[in-house]
Amino acid sequence: MKRDLSRLIRPTSIAVVGGGVWCASVIEQCRRMGFAGEVWPVYPKRAELGGLPAFASIEDLPAAPDATFIGVNRSATIDTVKSLATMGAGGAVCFASGFREAQAETGDGGAMQDRLLDAAGAMPIIGPNCYGFINYLDGALLWPDQHGGQRCARGVALITQSSNIAINLTMQARGLPLAYVATAGNQAQTGLAEIGAALLEDSRVTALGLHIEGIGDLRAFEALAARARTLGKPIVALKAGKSERARAAAVSHTASLAGSDAGARALLARLGVAQVASLPALVETLKLLHQAGPLASSRIVSMSCSGGEASLMADAAEGRGISYPALNAVQTGALRAALGPMVALANPLDYHTFIWDDVPRMTEAFTASLSGDVAIGCLVVDYPRTDRCSDAAWDCTLAAGGAAVRATGKPLAIVASLPENLSERMAERIIAAGMIPLLGIDDALTAIEAAADLGRHSAPDAPILLPGDEGDTRILSEAESKAALAAFGADVPQALRVEAADLVAASARMALPAVLKGEGFAHKTEAGAVALNLASSEAIAAAAGRMNAPAYLLEEMITGGVAELLVGVVRDPAHGFVLTLAAGGTLTEIMQDSASLILPVSEADITAALDSLRIAPLLDGYRGQPAAQRDAIVAAVRAVQGYVIENAAHVQEVEINPLICTPTRAVVADALIRTGDTV
């Protein structure tokens, strides 16, 4: 059920239920931020609260409030929510804890949360067990604590599942304008995605930042990403947690490679949500997106008056999807005219200090640098600390940089190599001059890389394939697994499955050399249950004697392999079905060379993932060797996907390892399926 959160998050009247210090703080914060609407304390034991007259009950209020902060115990919270819903209130923040998050301690937390949901009905609630939100645009705070933000006319929205992290983010002094800061708590009724979608609908919000502990409703998150794309408002996420749960239950290599972290990364990449790894990177990326939006490319130019800083910028780009294009002839000519003959012209550029404080010549140099085929420029500047020094001589960077932006129409970031060398006051001056203050070289390049990725992203072709329940499962034998995949077009070796007593007779019917595999082993190679290149019945019998298995698979020996791949899918209840492509065979653990995608995938997705692997040169024919048949590899991956789509209600894992890639075929040499299917 879709609920309208507009009254709750943009209220004209706020009720505060409860008489403790938390509720008094909500009233104080609204007063300090200049909230223009009505604030109505509700507390029967006092005549006034926070300097305002208090009402004895919800029913005594002059009207149904748009938003209510409920700061009473969990039982009273349920009663209050019911009263608010009955009178047609716009929504509520439930501060109290002791609900589902405390089930293990209280024994009734889940039941209490169910009662809370019943009481709310169609009325939106946020929480329980959360701080609420701050609307800096309108000065409306359902927030029981201090914060470090200020009113703004336009800015980014931040949502976190941690109230403490939300407080910390309001304390940033990096020049990021905050439009909203919200916490999600238990997400009993209204999830992070629903809150995010409501905030994005505000025309004054430019981008959305998320700190995610768990995504929850995949369809809602998918809808959030789609709506953000339609509105042209990018999303940046910091995803916490790298659970071992999937790995602990795995019988395949795929699960250990995919895990929940890889699943989250694949999901966010599919939906066009930029992912960062730290709170500073989150803030810097949002700052860049707020002012410049997604970038047209990852080509950048860097300028500094120090060779050391130019080297730092060059080194920091290594391993990233960022490039420094060479200066073209027009740039070189203009730079030479501005800088004179003593400066070596390159990108990154050390423009020396010959022109420092000569604003016209600095403007010429910065304009020339920005005029190339780049999406953004970086001007490395560390400003003096003003408690001991003067920064007056650095005003030339603001004047020249701003003029270059106006002349070229391209964004220019002023990058401080040390975050403490660019104060909040200076950040505000940089923004006023039309540039972007970025703190820290690594975080600045992370922000640029993320913005470029967002600029390249296109909408997914199809909705995410949702996984079914886990339930009881069984592992199909290798023969059963291969037969299941062959039905969807996988190329499997010619094979005979035989009991131990029939092995010698069966070997006479198989073309030699052959491969012998003992059944009953999850990882046959480690268990010594695979023997290759058996050229006679005697060799087959001897190998079987060493394995001592109850049954065997006697297979065609695949020769001429160019490379071996792993192709696997794991059911990830938090993110969908995670497809993993990796170096296969004995190299799987050694190389840790993998790419993960969320099903369903297109042929282009598969090809891009294969190209991202470190073993991609082997597939393309390394040093004169024959290339693998790419179409056959893609067909094998699509066969796995076809099986998973058809059996999505109960399949848990599918793995081919190895897929032997030859110049003409891609053959399923080993396969494993774990499923709840009883067929």
Side-chain angles (χ1 to χ4, degrees):
M1 175 183 180
K2 185 175 181 180
R3 294 173 172 81
D4 183 0
L5 303 184
S6 57
R7 285 178 65 194
L8 174 58
I9 62 175
R10 291 183 289 276
T12 59
S13 59
I14 297 174
V16 182
V17 179
V21 294
W22 301 108
C23 294
S25 181
V26 173
I27 297 169
E28 172 62 18
Q29 298 304 330
C30 286
R31 178 187 294 115
R32 290 180 60 187
M33 293 298 288
F35 177 59
E38 298 286 343
V39 179
W40 299 322
V42 178
Y43 190 55
K45 298 181 180 180
R46 289 173 58 179
E48 62 87 27
L49 186 68
L52 296 175
F55 295 86
S57 69
I58 291 289
E59 288 74 18
D60 292 333
L61 293 175
D66 289 329
T68 302
F69 181 87
I70 305 175
V72 295
N73 66 53
R74 60 180 188 153
S75 295
T77 293
I78 295 172
D79 295 337
T80 302
V81 165
K82 187 171 183 62
S83 296
L84 289 168
T86 300
M87 71 188 307
V93 166
C94 300
F95 178 60
S97 58
F99 291 90
R100 185 153 287 137
E101 87 288 348
Q103 175 63 32
E105 291 76 21
T106 65
D108 65 349
M112 292 292 284
Q113 188 156 303
D114 290 340
R115 287 180 55 199
L116 178 68
L117 292 175
D118 289 341
M123 185 186 75
I125 58 172
I126 296 175
N129 186 36
C130 80
Y131 259 39
F133 65 88
I134 302 170
N135 174 344
Y136 285 113
L137 301 167
D138 305 308
L141 292 87
L142 276 75
W143 189 261
D145 206 339
Q146 62 182 350
H147 61 93
Q150 59 185 350
R151 293 286 295 268
C152 72
R154 177 175 171 270
V156 307
L158 283 168
I159 310 174
T160 171
Q161 290 172 253
S162 164
S163 297
N164 205 50
I165 287 178
I167 294 174
N168 297 342
L169 286 168
T170 72
M171 302 297 174
Q172 61 85 26
R174 294 168 171 251
L176 176 66
L178 299 175
Y180 292 91
V181 174
T183 62
N186 285 15
Q187 303 182 81
Q189 178 212 72
T190 308
L192 177 146
E194 289 83 2
I195 298 171
L199 299 183
L200 285 178
E201 293 298 332
D202 192 319
S203 62
R204 300 166 293 178
V205 170
T206 57
L208 175 63
L210 304 175
H211 167 254
I212 304 171
E213 294 175 5
I215 286 173
D217 187 337
L218 276 172
R219 281 286 179 256
F221 196 80
E222 192 175 32
L224 169 66
R227 184 58 180 160
R229 192 162 46 247
T230 298
L231 294 171
K233 298 182 179 184
I235 303 177
V236 187
L238 170 59
K239 175 67 173 64
K242 296 183 179 180
S243 171
E244 294 291 331
R245 180 179 59 180
R247 288 191 269 278
V251 297
S252 70
H253 297 295
T254 304
S256 63
L257 286 173
S260 63
D261 183 58
R265 289 180 179 278
L267 176 68
L268 295 176
R270 177 189 183 88
L271 297 180
V273 176
Q275 186 173 6
V276 295
S278 69
L279 289 173
L282 177 67
V283 171
E284 297 307 306
T285 304
L286 285 169
K287 200 189 311 177
L288 173 58
L289 292 169
H290 167 70
Q291 291 188 246
L295 298 177
S297 76
S298 59
R299 297 163 64 87
I300 71 172
V301 64
S302 173
M303 301 162 279
S304 65
C305 61
S306 159
E309 291 170 345
S311 296
L312 289 176
M313 289 293 288
D315 288 347
E318 285 296 304
R320 299 178 183 272
I322 287 176
S323 65
Y324 292 105
L327 301 173
N328 61 38
V330 174
Q331 288 175 290
T332 300
L335 285 169
R336 183 62 68 206
L339 301 176
M342 301 295 290
V343 175
L345 302 182
N347 183 20
L349 173 68
D350 168 16
Y351 63 86
H352 291 225
T353 55
F354 301 131
I355 61 171
W356 186 262
D357 211 24
D358 185 338
V359 172
R361 291 179 68 188
M362 291 176 72
T363 300
E364 290 176 24
F366 299 165
T367 300
S369 295
L370 280 175
S371 67
D373 181 16
V374 295
I376 188 170
C378 294
L379 179 61
V380 183
V381 184
D382 283 70
Y383 294 90
R385 51 186 298 167
T386 54
D387 58 339
R388 299 175 185 172
C389 308
S390 170
D391 61 3
W394 274 255
D395 285 354
C396 58
T397 61
L398 304 182
V405 169
R406 292 189 293 275
T408 62
K410 290 182 179 177
L412 177 62
I414 289 191
V415 179
S417 61
L418 292 174
E420 56 266 38
N421 291 352
L422 202 163
S423 67
E424 187 172 30
R425 178 188 68 85
M426 184 55 71
E428 291 170 350
R429 293 186 65 195
I430 290 168
I431 293 169
M435 294 173 290
I436 308 159
L438 296 179
L439 282 67
I441 289 174
D442 283 336
D443 288 333
L445 293 189
T446 294
I448 291 170
E449 186 177 20
D453 286 343
L454 288 172
R456 287 190 294 264
H457 186 267
S458 56
D461 295 330
I464 296 163
L465 178 65
L466 297 182
D469 296 331
E470 185 169 6
D472 295 329
T473 64
R474 70 184 185 97
I475 299 173
L476 304 188
S477 70
E478 181 178 349
E480 291 173 318
S481 298
K482 286 179 174 176
L485 295 176
F488 287 86
D491 184 353
V492 302
Q494 296 179 9
L496 294 173
R497 182 193 177 276
V498 295
E499 301 298 322
D502 302 324
L503 180 60
V504 174
S507 64
R509 305 196 304 272
M510 175 63 67
L512 300 179
V515 177
L516 184 68
K517 300 177 181 179
E519 287 196 347
F521 303 93
H523 301 296
K524 297 181 182 67
T525 301
E526 291 88 332
V530 177
L532 305 176
N533 205 29
L534 302 175
S536 66
S537 296
E538 291 77 14
I540 292 171
R546 292 190 296 271
M547 296 177 197
N548 194 28
Y552 296 91
L553 199 60
L554 191 59
E555 286 189 336
E556 162 193 10
M557 179 78 184
I558 306 301
T559 59
V562 170
E564 293 185 348
L565 290 175
L566 175 147
V567 179
V569 172
V570 171
R571 170 191 172 274
D572 183 340
H575 309 113
F577 285 102
V578 184
L579 166 68
T580 299
L581 303 178
T586 58
L587 295 179
T588 300
E589 287 90 353
I590 295 173
M591 293 191 66
Q592 292 292 300
D593 179 21
S594 64
S596 294
L597 303 166
I598 298 294
L599 296 186
V601 295
S602 67
E603 182 173 335
D605 296 330
I606 298 168
T607 299
L610 291 171
D611 288 341
S612 74
L613 298 177
R614 293 197 298 275
I615 65 165
L618 292 178
L619 302 176
D620 295 333
Y622 186 63
R623 293 193 173 182
Q625 295 301 307
Q629 173 52 259
R630 281 291 193 110
D631 290 344
I633 297 172
V634 171
V637 178
R638 293 181 73 87
V640 171
Q641 173 169 266
Y643 174 83
V644 173
I645 291 173
E646 184 72 20
N647 298 279
H650 46 71
V651 68
Q652 306 296 311
E653 290 183 73
V654 179
E655 179 178 281
I656 300 171
N657 189 23
L659 180 74
I660 299 179
C661 306
T662 80
T664 59
R665 302 173 67 187
V667 186
V668 180
D670 197 358
L672 177 147
I673 294 176
R674 184 162 65 94
T675 179
D677 186 12
T678 58
V679 177

